[in-house]
Amino acid sequence: MGIVVQKYGGTSVGSVERIRRVAERVAAVHAQGKPCVVTVSAMGKTTDQLIDLARQVSPRPPAREMDMLLTTGEQVSIALLAMALSELGVPARSLTGWQAGITTDEIHGKARIQEIDTRLIRECLDRGEVVIVAGFQGKTATGEITTLGRGGSDTTAVALAAALEAEVCEIYTDVPGVFTADPRVVPRAGKMDEISFEEMLELAHLGAAVLHPRSVECAMKHRVPLVVRSSFSEEPGTWVKEAKDLETERHVRGIAHDMHVARMKVLGLKNRIETLSHLFGILADAHINVDMIVQSEHDAERIDVAFSVHEDEGELAKEVIEARREELDYLKVLYETGLAKVSAVGAGMVSRPGVAAKMFAALTDAGIRIKMVSTSEIKISCVIPRERAVEAVRELHAAFGLDVAEGEMAGIAAKGAG
Ligand code: ADP
Ligand code: ASP
Ligand code: MG
């Protein structure tokens, strides 16, 4: 019988009562005789609390020690879920990421899974045990503990499903599926029954936290049947699948937003043939992910380069660039934080002109200043002031005709409210 991989997120295992409910769901799959592998996140806000604890000790803690600390969160929830399952008479075994055979690269804090040795998992399954694997963690070839980046438990689940050639990977979370925008921000967002891998990948990269971007990448590459569902209901959820199987081709399918954007401007860079490769090479060596890039002329000999990064990496980017001032030969660096990025995503965009115009018009009409723009075949993104982001997302959602009628609103509370 096909293996089922399930993943339960932080809210879904946020209390002892909720862990019991997850155990009951898992027990129901086990009772059908299906081999079951479950990945869980740390309970509730545990990861945030651990980060906060670390910051109290050190403003920039060593990445290795951060991983050592953060991986404890998932270790708590796997053990508790295994206990809850044994209480129900279901044989279960919890495994850390490294016990489960997950090997990653060496980049602490955002490691990538390189390989999964599934032997131990398969042995447990053969004995009829439910296997519970800690999400978000792995081990390097030299034995160091790593984490996969915030939200990375989704990737653990999908990678396990791929390695085990599972029949399905079910991501259980605190909303009933993937919506046309974050339903906690846009009350009129509608749930999608299905979405293409490409669109989901863009939405995830652009800030839709519901799936970790690398989990979508992995599912797309290995053709893992992937569904996002609520852990609190029996609703069918949203299937993420190949575009050719999809029925709809709306030009804009969803709006994503990312509240943590910083912008750097490097002004008056000496214009040499290798200037850009040199600048971005330095950032890449520091493992900083650069997002949008804009280059313009400063004067006959110099250029200005502006780029955006995740706010968490902004300070580091600034330090790295300032440390190499002489060799880069620039006049000034400006650093701006408190920004957000709003994006419209849709595979049907390629063939329709006017999407960018509509987006700019909607933001302009609301009096929202656009600071940076980037486009691809299936998305348009604008960097704007963070304090206007919620309003911008709602305006765009309405402008692209995505609002559902009042009677169809999902009624999902804003985060922190419930
Ligand atoms: P989990 O702990 O289960 O992994 P996350 O908080 O990581 O949960 O992801 C679920 C959250 O993603 C939802 O509560 C919702 O606020 C947010 N979200 C953002 N964009 C979307 C979207 N397009 N559809 C659904 N949820 C979204
Ligand atoms: N616990 C980790 C986080 O909060 C991983 C996850 O939840 O997916 O980011
Ligand atoms: Mg998540």
PDB file of all heavy atoms in Angstrom, residues 291-323:
ATOM      1  N   ASP A 291      17.322  40.099  -4.019  1.00  0.00           N
ATOM      2  CA  ASP A 291      16.075  39.940  -4.777  1.00  0.00           C
ATOM      3  C   ASP A 291      16.069  40.873  -5.991  1.00  0.00           C
ATOM      4  O   ASP A 291      16.661  40.578  -7.011  1.00  0.00           O
ATOM      5  CB  ASP A 291      14.908  40.181  -3.812  1.00  0.00           C
ATOM      6  CG  ASP A 291      13.562  39.929  -4.449  1.00  0.00           C
ATOM      7  OD1 ASP A 291      13.526  39.304  -5.518  1.00  0.00           O
ATOM      8  OD2 ASP A 291      12.539  40.368  -3.884  1.00  0.00           O
ATOM      9  N   MET A 292      15.464  42.044  -5.875  1.00  0.00           N
ATOM     10  CA  MET A 292      15.401  42.930  -7.047  1.00  0.00           C
ATOM     11  C   MET A 292      16.700  43.705  -7.207  1.00  0.00           C
ATOM     12  O   MET A 292      17.329  44.077  -6.213  1.00  0.00           O
ATOM     13  CB  MET A 292      14.294  43.964  -6.855  1.00  0.00           C
ATOM     14  CG  MET A 292      12.941  43.363  -6.728  1.00  0.00           C
ATOM     15  SD  MET A 292      11.763  44.721  -6.558  1.00  0.00           S
ATOM     16  CE  MET A 292      10.321  43.823  -6.123  1.00  0.00           C
ATOM     17  N   ILE A 293      17.049  43.989  -8.439  1.00  0.00           N
ATOM     18  CA  ILE A 293      18.261  44.773  -8.696  1.00  0.00           C
ATOM     19  C   ILE A 293      17.937  45.846  -9.737  1.00  0.00           C
ATOM     20  O   ILE A 293      17.312  45.551 -10.752  1.00  0.00           O
ATOM     21  CB  ILE A 293      19.399  43.884  -9.260  1.00  0.00           C
ATOM     22  CG1 ILE A 293      19.740  42.771  -8.270  1.00  0.00           C
ATOM     23  CG2 ILE A 293      20.638  44.725  -9.582  1.00  0.00           C
ATOM     24  CD1 ILE A 293      20.734  41.749  -8.775  1.00  0.00           C
ATOM     25  N   VAL A 294      18.326  47.089  -9.450  1.00  0.00           N
ATOM     26  CA  VAL A 294      18.133  48.170 -10.421  1.00  0.00           C
ATOM     27  C   VAL A 294      19.472  48.884 -10.606  1.00  0.00           C
ATOM     28  O   VAL A 294      20.108  49.289  -9.634  1.00  0.00           O
ATOM     29  CB  VAL A 294      17.089  49.198  -9.921  1.00  0.00           C
ATOM     30  CG1 VAL A 294      16.926  50.325 -10.931  1.00  0.00           C
ATOM     31  CG2 VAL A 294      15.756  48.526  -9.656  1.00  0.00           C
ATOM     32  N   GLN A 295      19.877  49.039 -11.853  1.00  0.00           N
ATOM     33  CA  GLN A 295      21.133  49.754 -12.123  1.00  0.00           C
ATOM     34  C   GLN A 295      20.815  51.023 -12.913  1.00  0.00           C
ATOM     35  O   GLN A 295      19.975  51.001 -13.813  1.00  0.00           O
ATOM     36  CB  GLN A 295      22.062  48.861 -12.946  1.00  0.00           C
ATOM     37  CG  GLN A 295      23.409  49.509 -13.187  1.00  0.00           C
ATOM     38  CD  GLN A 295      24.139  48.906 -14.375  1.00  0.00           C
ATOM     39  OE1 GLN A 295      24.167  47.701 -14.535  1.00  0.00           O
ATOM     40  NE2 GLN A 295      24.703  49.761 -15.210  1.00  0.00           N
ATOM     41  N   SER A 296      21.455  52.125 -12.547  1.00  0.00           N
ATOM     42  CA  SER A 296      21.256  53.343 -13.329  1.00  0.00           C
ATOM     43  C   SER A 296      22.565  54.123 -13.406  1.00  0.00           C
ATOM     44  O   SER A 296      23.507  53.844 -12.651  1.00  0.00           O
ATOM     45  CB  SER A 296      20.153  54.187 -12.686  1.00  0.00           C
ATOM     46  OG  SER A 296      20.457  54.398 -11.334  1.00  0.00           O
ATOM     47  N   GLU A 297      22.580  55.094 -14.299  1.00  0.00           N
ATOM     48  CA  GLU A 297      23.810  55.861 -14.492  1.00  0.00           C
ATOM     49  C   GLU A 297      23.961  56.914 -13.385  1.00  0.00           C
ATOM     50  O   GLU A 297      22.984  57.548 -12.999  1.00  0.00           O
ATOM     51  CB  GLU A 297      23.717  56.568 -15.832  1.00  0.00           C
ATOM     52  CG  GLU A 297      25.064  56.794 -16.472  1.00  0.00           C
ATOM     53  CD  GLU A 297      24.876  57.160 -17.926  1.00  0.00           C
ATOM     54  OE1 GLU A 297      24.691  56.250 -18.766  1.00  0.00           O
ATOM     55  OE2 GLU A 297      24.879  58.369 -18.192  1.00  0.00           O
ATOM     56  N   HIS A 298      25.145  57.085 -12.883  1.00  0.00           N
ATOM     57  CA  HIS A 298      25.395  58.122 -11.878  1.00  0.00           C
ATOM     58  C   HIS A 298      25.987  59.341 -12.591  1.00  0.00           C
ATOM     59  O   HIS A 298      25.487  60.458 -12.505  1.00  0.00           O
ATOM     60  CB  HIS A 298      26.367  57.591 -10.824  1.00  0.00           C
ATOM     61  CG  HIS A 298      26.626  58.545  -9.706  1.00  0.00           C
ATOM     62  ND1 HIS A 298      25.829  58.598  -8.581  1.00  0.00           N
ATOM     63  CD2 HIS A 298      27.572  59.493  -9.538  1.00  0.00           C
ATOM     64  CE1 HIS A 298      26.285  59.541  -7.775  1.00  0.00           C
ATOM     65  NE2 HIS A 298      27.337  60.099  -8.331  1.00  0.00           N
ATOM     66  N   ASP A 299      27.097  59.121 -13.307  1.00  0.00           N
ATOM     67  CA  ASP A 299      27.656  60.127 -14.215  1.00  0.00           C
ATOM     68  C   ASP A 299      28.436  59.360 -15.270  1.00  0.00           C
ATOM     69  O   ASP A 299      28.272  58.142 -15.390  1.00  0.00           O
ATOM     70  CB  ASP A 299      28.515  61.158 -13.447  1.00  0.00           C
ATOM     71  CG  ASP A 299      29.668  60.513 -12.685  1.00  0.00           C
ATOM     72  OD1 ASP A 299      30.135  59.430 -13.131  1.00  0.00           O
ATOM     73  OD2 ASP A 299      30.086  61.066 -11.652  1.00  0.00           O
ATOM     74  N   ALA A 300      29.275  60.013 -16.002  1.00  0.00           N
ATOM     75  CA  ALA A 300      29.949  59.347 -17.114  1.00  0.00           C
ATOM     76  C   ALA A 300      30.804  58.155 -16.656  1.00  0.00           C
ATOM     77  O   ALA A 300      31.000  57.195 -17.391  1.00  0.00           O
ATOM     78  CB  ALA A 300      30.811  60.358 -17.865  1.00  0.00           C
ATOM     79  N   GLU A 301      31.288  58.194 -15.426  1.00  0.00           N
ATOM     80  CA  GLU A 301      32.214  57.148 -14.976  1.00  0.00           C
ATOM     81  C   GLU A 301      31.670  56.221 -13.912  1.00  0.00           C
ATOM     82  O   GLU A 301      32.277  55.215 -13.590  1.00  0.00           O
ATOM     83  CB  GLU A 301      33.471  57.822 -14.410  1.00  0.00           C
ATOM     84  CG  GLU A 301      34.251  58.514 -15.479  1.00  0.00           C
ATOM     85  CD  GLU A 301      35.601  58.974 -14.979  1.00  0.00           C
ATOM     86  OE1 GLU A 301      35.804  58.969 -13.748  1.00  0.00           O
ATOM     87  OE2 GLU A 301      36.414  59.322 -15.822  1.00  0.00           O
ATOM     88  N   ARG A 302      30.534  56.616 -13.355  1.00  0.00           N
ATOM     89  CA  ARG A 302      30.045  55.832 -12.218  1.00  0.00           C
ATOM     90  C   ARG A 302      28.584  55.429 -12.395  1.00  0.00           C
ATOM     91  O   ARG A 302      27.839  56.076 -13.137  1.00  0.00           O
ATOM     92  CB  ARG A 302      30.215  56.650 -10.922  1.00  0.00           C
ATOM     93  CG  ARG A 302      31.685  56.835 -10.568  1.00  0.00           C
ATOM     94  CD  ARG A 302      31.878  57.589  -9.273  1.00  0.00           C
ATOM     95  NE  ARG A 302      33.288  57.765  -9.016  1.00  0.00           N
ATOM     96  CZ  ARG A 302      34.016  56.934  -8.245  1.00  0.00           C
ATOM     97  NH1 ARG A 302      33.462  55.902  -7.671  1.00  0.00           N
ATOM     98  NH2 ARG A 302      35.308  57.153  -8.070  1.00  0.00           N
ATOM     99  N   ILE A 303      28.203  54.348 -11.700  1.00  0.00           N
ATOM    100  CA  ILE A 303      26.806  53.894 -11.748  1.00  0.00           C
ATOM    101  C   ILE A 303      26.235  53.825 -10.327  1.00  0.00           C
ATOM    102  O   ILE A 303      26.980  53.789  -9.355  1.00  0.00           O
ATOM    103  CB  ILE A 303      26.673  52.497 -12.415  1.00  0.00           C
ATOM    104  CG1 ILE A 303      27.553  51.464 -11.683  1.00  0.00           C
ATOM    105  CG2 ILE A 303      27.005  52.556 -13.891  1.00  0.00           C
ATOM    106  CD1 ILE A 303      27.294  50.025 -12.098  1.00  0.00           C
ATOM    107  N   ASP A 304      24.900  53.798 -10.246  1.00  0.00           N
ATOM    108  CA  ASP A 304      24.217  53.555  -8.971  1.00  0.00           C
ATOM    109  C   ASP A 304      23.564  52.175  -9.069  1.00  0.00           C
ATOM    110  O   ASP A 304      22.988  51.834 -10.107  1.00  0.00           O
ATOM    111  CB  ASP A 304      23.104  54.587  -8.735  1.00  0.00           C
ATOM    112  CG  ASP A 304      23.661  55.994  -8.549  1.00  0.00           C
ATOM    113  OD1 ASP A 304      24.843  56.125  -8.161  1.00  0.00           O
ATOM    114  OD2 ASP A 304      22.902  56.958  -8.811  1.00  0.00           O
ATOM    115  N   VAL A 305      23.643  51.402  -7.992  1.00  0.00           N
ATOM    116  CA  VAL A 305      22.985  50.102  -7.975  1.00  0.00           C
ATOM    117  C   VAL A 305      22.121  50.025  -6.722  1.00  0.00           C
ATOM    118  O   VAL A 305      22.605  50.277  -5.614  1.00  0.00           O
ATOM    119  CB  VAL A 305      24.020  48.950  -7.971  1.00  0.00           C
ATOM    120  CG1 VAL A 305      23.311  47.600  -7.853  1.00  0.00           C
ATOM    121  CG2 VAL A 305      24.866  48.978  -9.223  1.00  0.00           C
ATOM    122  N   ALA A 306      20.846  49.718  -6.922  1.00  0.00           N
ATOM    123  CA  ALA A 306      19.960  49.514  -5.771  1.00  0.00           C
ATOM    124  C   ALA A 306      19.524  48.056  -5.791  1.00  0.00           C
ATOM    125  O   ALA A 306      19.319  47.482  -6.865  1.00  0.00           O
ATOM    126  CB  ALA A 306      18.744  50.421  -5.886  1.00  0.00           C
ATOM    127  N   PHE A 307      19.426  47.459  -4.623  1.00  0.00           N
ATOM    128  CA  PHE A 307      18.913  46.086  -4.572  1.00  0.00           C
ATOM    129  C   PHE A 307      18.150  45.854  -3.276  1.00  0.00           C
ATOM    130  O   PHE A 307      18.336  46.564  -2.290  1.00  0.00           O
ATOM    131  CB  PHE A 307      20.039  45.053  -4.759  1.00  0.00           C
ATOM    132  CG  PHE A 307      21.106  45.099  -3.710  1.00  0.00           C
ATOM    133  CD1 PHE A 307      20.965  44.367  -2.530  1.00  0.00           C
ATOM    134  CD2 PHE A 307      22.245  45.866  -3.889  1.00  0.00           C
ATOM    135  CE1 PHE A 307      21.960  44.402  -1.552  1.00  0.00           C
ATOM    136  CE2 PHE A 307      23.233  45.912  -2.918  1.00  0.00           C
ATOM    137  CZ  PHE A 307      23.096  45.181  -1.750  1.00  0.00           C
ATOM    138  N   SER A 308      17.250  44.850  -3.317  1.00  0.00           N
ATOM    139  CA  SER A 308      16.480  44.547  -2.110  1.00  0.00           C
ATOM    140  C   SER A 308      16.912  43.194  -1.559  1.00  0.00           C
ATOM    141  O   SER A 308      17.322  42.302  -2.315  1.00  0.00           O
ATOM    142  CB  SER A 308      14.986  44.569  -2.407  1.00  0.00           C
ATOM    143  OG  SER A 308      14.661  43.535  -3.299  1.00  0.00           O
ATOM    144  N   VAL A 309      16.818  43.068  -0.251  1.00  0.00           N
ATOM    145  CA  VAL A 309      17.134  41.813   0.439  1.00  0.00           C
ATOM    146  C   VAL A 309      16.108  41.608   1.549  1.00  0.00           C
ATOM    147  O   VAL A 309      15.364  42.530   1.890  1.00  0.00           O
ATOM    148  CB  VAL A 309      18.548  41.841   1.105  1.00  0.00           C
ATOM    149  CG1 VAL A 309      19.652  41.854   0.082  1.00  0.00           C
ATOM    150  CG2 VAL A 309      18.691  43.007   2.065  1.00  0.00           C
ATOM    151  N   HIS A 310      16.083  40.412   2.108  1.00  0.00           N
ATOM    152  CA  HIS A 310      15.242  40.192   3.287  1.00  0.00           C
ATOM    153  C   HIS A 310      15.828  41.040   4.419  1.00  0.00           C
ATOM    154  O   HIS A 310      17.046  41.123   4.578  1.00  0.00           O
ATOM    155  CB  HIS A 310      15.240  38.718   3.687  1.00  0.00           C
ATOM    156  CG  HIS A 310      14.217  38.398   4.737  1.00  0.00           C
ATOM    157  ND1 HIS A 310      14.429  38.644   6.072  1.00  0.00           N
ATOM    158  CD2 HIS A 310      12.966  37.904   4.636  1.00  0.00           C
ATOM    159  CE1 HIS A 310      13.350  38.283   6.761  1.00  0.00           C
ATOM    160  NE2 HIS A 310      12.447  37.829   5.909  1.00  0.00           N
ATOM    161  N   GLU A 311      14.912  41.635   5.181  1.00  0.00           N
ATOM    162  CA  GLU A 311      15.319  42.522   6.271  1.00  0.00           C
ATOM    163  C   GLU A 311      16.349  41.890   7.220  1.00  0.00           C
ATOM    164  O   GLU A 311      17.280  42.555   7.668  1.00  0.00           O
ATOM    165  CB  GLU A 311      14.056  42.849   7.055  1.00  0.00           C
ATOM    166  CG  GLU A 311      14.152  44.023   7.932  1.00  0.00           C
ATOM    167  CD  GLU A 311      12.802  44.238   8.613  1.00  0.00           C
ATOM    168  OE1 GLU A 311      12.151  43.237   8.989  1.00  0.00           O
ATOM    169  OE2 GLU A 311      12.411  45.389   8.739  1.00  0.00           O
ATOM    170  N   ASP A 312      16.205  40.568   7.453  1.00  0.00           N
ATOM    171  CA  ASP A 312      17.138  39.887   8.367  1.00  0.00           C
ATOM    172  C   ASP A 312      18.577  39.910   7.849  1.00  0.00           C
ATOM    173  O   ASP A 312      19.520  39.718   8.614  1.00  0.00           O
ATOM    174  CB  ASP A 312      16.745  38.411   8.542  1.00  0.00           C
ATOM    175  CG  ASP A 312      15.507  38.259   9.397  1.00  0.00           C
ATOM    176  OD1 ASP A 312      15.082  39.260   9.987  1.00  0.00           O
ATOM    177  OD2 ASP A 312      14.965  37.135   9.447  1.00  0.00           O
ATOM    178  N   GLU A 313      18.719  40.073   6.530  1.00  0.00           N
ATOM    179  CA  GLU A 313      20.068  40.027   5.951  1.00  0.00           C
ATOM    180  C   GLU A 313      20.579  41.412   5.589  1.00  0.00           C
ATOM    181  O   GLU A 313      21.702  41.562   5.111  1.00  0.00           O
ATOM    182  CB  GLU A 313      20.062  39.122   4.714  1.00  0.00           C
ATOM    183  CG  GLU A 313      19.668  37.702   5.075  1.00  0.00           C
ATOM    184  CD  GLU A 313      19.858  36.687   3.968  1.00  0.00           C
ATOM    185  OE1 GLU A 313      19.723  37.068   2.788  1.00  0.00           O
ATOM    186  OE2 GLU A 313      20.141  35.530   4.289  1.00  0.00           O
ATOM    187  N   GLY A 314      19.750  42.447   5.837  1.00  0.00           N
ATOM    188  CA  GLY A 314      20.098  43.804   5.437  1.00  0.00           C
ATOM    189  C   GLY A 314      21.347  44.337   6.120  1.00  0.00           C
ATOM    190  O   GLY A 314      22.253  44.861   5.472  1.00  0.00           O
ATOM    191  N   GLU A 315      21.408  44.173   7.436  1.00  0.00           N
ATOM    192  CA  GLU A 315      22.560  44.685   8.188  1.00  0.00           C
ATOM    193  C   GLU A 315      23.844  44.018   7.728  1.00  0.00           C
ATOM    194  O   GLU A 315      24.875  44.671   7.569  1.00  0.00           O
ATOM    195  CB  GLU A 315      22.365  44.412   9.696  1.00  0.00           C
ATOM    196  CG  GLU A 315      21.311  45.275  10.349  1.00  0.00           C
ATOM    197  CD  GLU A 315      21.760  46.728  10.534  1.00  0.00           C
ATOM    198  OE1 GLU A 315      22.969  46.979  10.475  1.00  0.00           O
ATOM    199  OE2 GLU A 315      20.868  47.590  10.703  1.00  0.00           O
ATOM    200  N   LEU A 316      23.765  42.716   7.529  1.00  0.00           N
ATOM    201  CA  LEU A 316      24.944  41.971   7.091  1.00  0.00           C
ATOM    202  C   LEU A 316      25.383  42.465   5.711  1.00  0.00           C
ATOM    203  O   LEU A 316      26.578  42.694   5.463  1.00  0.00           O
ATOM    204  CB  LEU A 316      24.631  40.464   7.060  1.00  0.00           C
ATOM    205  CG  LEU A 316      25.760  39.559   6.582  1.00  0.00           C
ATOM    206  CD1 LEU A 316      26.964  39.647   7.513  1.00  0.00           C
ATOM    207  CD2 LEU A 316      25.291  38.093   6.514  1.00  0.00           C
ATOM    208  N   ALA A 317      24.412  42.666   4.816  1.00  0.00           N
ATOM    209  CA  ALA A 317      24.737  43.148   3.465  1.00  0.00           C
ATOM    210  C   ALA A 317      25.465  44.488   3.558  1.00  0.00           C
ATOM    211  O   ALA A 317      26.477  44.718   2.878  1.00  0.00           O
ATOM    212  CB  ALA A 317      23.457  43.286   2.640  1.00  0.00           C
ATOM    213  N   LYS A 318      24.971  45.353   4.436  1.00  0.00           N
ATOM    214  CA  LYS A 318      25.574  46.667   4.593  1.00  0.00           C
ATOM    215  C   LYS A 318      27.009  46.535   5.112  1.00  0.00           C
ATOM    216  O   LYS A 318      27.937  47.136   4.563  1.00  0.00           O
ATOM    217  CB  LYS A 318      24.719  47.477   5.574  1.00  0.00           C
ATOM    218  CG  LYS A 318      25.124  48.898   5.729  1.00  0.00           C
ATOM    219  CD  LYS A 318      24.008  49.662   6.458  1.00  0.00           C
ATOM    220  CE  LYS A 318      24.505  50.974   6.981  1.00  0.00           C
ATOM    221  NZ  LYS A 318      24.920  50.960   8.368  1.00  0.00           N
ATOM    222  N   GLU A 319      27.173  45.714   6.124  1.00  0.00           N
ATOM    223  CA  GLU A 319      28.522  45.517   6.691  1.00  0.00           C
ATOM    224  C   GLU A 319      29.498  44.989   5.661  1.00  0.00           C
ATOM    225  O   GLU A 319      30.633  45.456   5.558  1.00  0.00           O
ATOM    226  CB  GLU A 319      28.460  44.479   7.824  1.00  0.00           C
ATOM    227  CG  GLU A 319      28.190  45.084   9.172  1.00  0.00           C
ATOM    228  CD  GLU A 319      27.967  44.009  10.225  1.00  0.00           C
ATOM    229  OE1 GLU A 319      28.632  42.951  10.181  1.00  0.00           O
ATOM    230  OE2 GLU A 319      27.096  44.232  11.089  1.00  0.00           O
ATOM    231  N   VAL A 320      29.054  43.986   4.907  1.00  0.00           N
ATOM    232  CA  VAL A 320      29.929  43.349   3.921  1.00  0.00           C
ATOM    233  C   VAL A 320      30.361  44.361   2.863  1.00  0.00           C
ATOM    234  O   VAL A 320      31.529  44.425   2.478  1.00  0.00           O
ATOM    235  CB  VAL A 320      29.181  42.162   3.260  1.00  0.00           C
ATOM    236  CG1 VAL A 320      29.960  41.612   2.086  1.00  0.00           C
ATOM    237  CG2 VAL A 320      28.930  41.075   4.271  1.00  0.00           C
ATOM    238  N   ILE A 321      29.423  45.202   2.439  1.00  0.00           N
ATOM    239  CA  ILE A 321      29.745  46.180   1.406  1.00  0.00           C
ATOM    240  C   ILE A 321      30.640  47.289   1.958  1.00  0.00           C
ATOM    241  O   ILE A 321      31.592  47.717   1.311  1.00  0.00           O
ATOM    242  CB  ILE A 321      28.455  46.748   0.787  1.00  0.00           C
ATOM    243  CG1 ILE A 321      27.815  45.648  -0.061  1.00  0.00           C
ATOM    244  CG2 ILE A 321      28.729  47.974  -0.081  1.00  0.00           C
ATOM    245  CD1 ILE A 321      26.501  45.998  -0.633  1.00  0.00           C
ATOM    246  N   GLU A 322      30.348  47.697   3.175  1.00  0.00           N
ATOM    247  CA  GLU A 322      31.176  48.751   3.770  1.00  0.00           C
ATOM    248  C   GLU A 322      32.607  48.266   4.006  1.00  0.00           C
ATOM    249  O   GLU A 322      33.569  49.011   3.847  1.00  0.00           O
ATOM    250  CB  GLU A 322      30.540  49.274   5.054  1.00  0.00           C
ATOM    251  CG  GLU A 322      29.421  50.251   4.726  1.00  0.00           C
ATOM    252  CD  GLU A 322      28.628  50.723   5.938  1.00  0.00           C
ATOM    253  OE1 GLU A 322      28.770  50.119   7.018  1.00  0.00           O
ATOM    254  OE2 GLU A 322      27.853  51.697   5.789  1.00  0.00           O
ATOM    255  N   ALA A 323      32.729  46.983   4.367  1.00  0.00           N
ATOM    256  CA  ALA A 323      34.068  46.430   4.623  1.00  0.00           C
ATOM    257  C   ALA A 323      34.920  46.384   3.348  1.00  0.00           C
ATOM    258  O   ALA A 323      36.139  46.335   3.423  1.00  0.00           O
ATOM    259  CB  ALA A 323      33.934  45.033   5.215  1.00  0.00           C
TER     260      ALA A 323
END
